[in-house]
Amino acid sequence: MQKKTYKIKEDKPTVVEESAIAYQPKTIQTPTLDNWNPNIPFHGTQEEWWEHFHQIEEGEFMTLEEVNREFEIWKKEYLANRFN
């Protein structure tokens, strides 16, 4: 991958090989809902990942048929409202 030049804060050009490096936090910390940033990779232990997955699984789920039905209803209403 070719190196790219980025301007950071004091307008001093910085050369990095990956754009994600420019977004890396100074210290590794577990993101919360308040400070979550999709540009910063999440580093965690296997136990933290499993805990995260189990929290997601505890939420409400819909079957694929329900999702498709709701999408079709939304799409029909959306397209009808576009022409009004």
Side-chain angles (χ1 to χ4, degrees):
M1 173 181 252
Q2 79 183 60
K3 296 183 182 237
K4 297 181 181 178
T5 302
Y6 295 89
K7 291 189 177 187
I8 299 176
K9 293 189 181 177
E10 296 93 22
D11 293 330
K12 293 180 182 177
T14 303
V15 177
V16 295
E17 292 184 21
E18 294 285 336
S19 58
I21 293 171
Y23 296 103
Q24 285 269 339
K26 301 274 189 271
T27 60
I28 297 175
Q29 58 188 7
T30 304
T32 63
L33 291 177
D34 296 333
N35 67 358
W36 182 76
N37 184 341
N39 296 319
I40 298 175
F42 171 73
H43 298 280
T45 64
Q46 182 178 8
E47 289 79 21
E48 290 173 323
W49 280 105
W50 279 114
E51 180 183 338
H52 178 68
F53 296 146
H54 290 300
Q55 287 175 351
I56 292 171
E57 291 172 348
E58 290 173 2
E60 295 183 22
F61 280 92
M62 298 171 63
T63 64
L64 182 59
E65 292 79 19
E66 290 173 320
V67 172
N68 287 337
R69 191 176 331 111
E70 286 193 11
F71 175 72
E72 290 301 324
I73 292 169
W74 171 85
K75 185 171 71 171
K76 184 184 256 185
E77 290 175 4
Y78 176 77
L79 292 175
N81 290 334
R82 286 184 61 198
F83 298 115
N84 289 339

